[in-house]
Amino acid sequence: MDQANPFETPRTYSLHRAEYLVGLAVTTGLIIAHFGEIRWWVAIALFLYIDLIGYIPGAIAFKRSGGRPIPKTYYVLYNVMHSLITQAAVAALWCWLVEPEWALLVLPFHLFGDRGLFGNFMKSFALPFEPVRQPGYLRLLDDLGLAHPKAVGHATEPTPVGHVPAQPVRRQRQEAVR
């Protein structure tokens, strides 16, 4: 889900991120190998547009919300813009409409970096836009006897977006029987 609540064990989350670090290493190697062939203004524009559309608006809305839920539109924008599928389509269209070029390497470079270095994966409507440690995930780690991840360090600790506390399963069954 995010680096504060991966809903994986810390070890599997690290392995998951390591896979993207391999992709980051490959794209970095290709960028270095073709450094002189890259149109850098195109590369910088392609690198930045992902966050200009998909992250910055949601981050601003989250900061301004003071911990209140923000519109789900920001989550959708983030997930669409940070999708390997979307960026593969962008690259394919670029190749068809413009030309194939090495500047397109920044698209996977950006996504692999976000996931491998920062642990940023798709955003769930059930969690705040920015990573905030969730009690349910911390209880899961306690049940597994695993250490808690470090706090992300936000000034506020908002509750999950759209979160409705669930009744324990036993209580629901008891009430259904009555």
Side-chain angles (χ1 to χ4, degrees), residues 39-62:
R39 289 193 305 158
W40 285 101
W41 72 270
V42 172
I44 291 167
L46 288 170
F47 184 89
L48 293 177
Y49 102 99
I50 295 171
D51 283 343
L52 288 173
I53 296 170
Y55 172 68
I56 292 172
I60 291 169
F62 175 80

Side-chain angles (χ1 to χ4, degrees), residues 71-149:
K72 292 179 180 176
T73 303
Y74 295 113
Y75 292 77
V76 172
L77 284 172
Y78 181 92
N79 290 341
V80 167
M81 294 306 297
H82 287 82
S83 166
L84 288 166
I85 297 167
T86 300
Q87 298 314 319
V90 167
L93 279 170
W94 190 279
C95 289
W96 182 48
L97 298 172
V98 181
E99 67 179 347
E101 62 180 298
W102 292 110
L104 294 169
L105 282 171
V106 301
L107 297 173
F109 177 83
H110 182 126
L111 300 181
F112 295 157
D114 275 358
R115 292 176 181 160
L117 294 174
F118 305 115
N120 295 328
F121 291 88
M122 297 295 183
K123 294 196 180 288
S124 168
F125 293 152
L127 295 171
F129 188 82
E130 293 288 356
V132 177
R133 291 164 31 134
Q134 299 299 307
Y137 178 65
L138 299 177
R139 283 192 304 274
L140 171 67
L141 292 179
D142 288 342
D143 289 348
L144 296 172
L146 300 170
H148 291 191

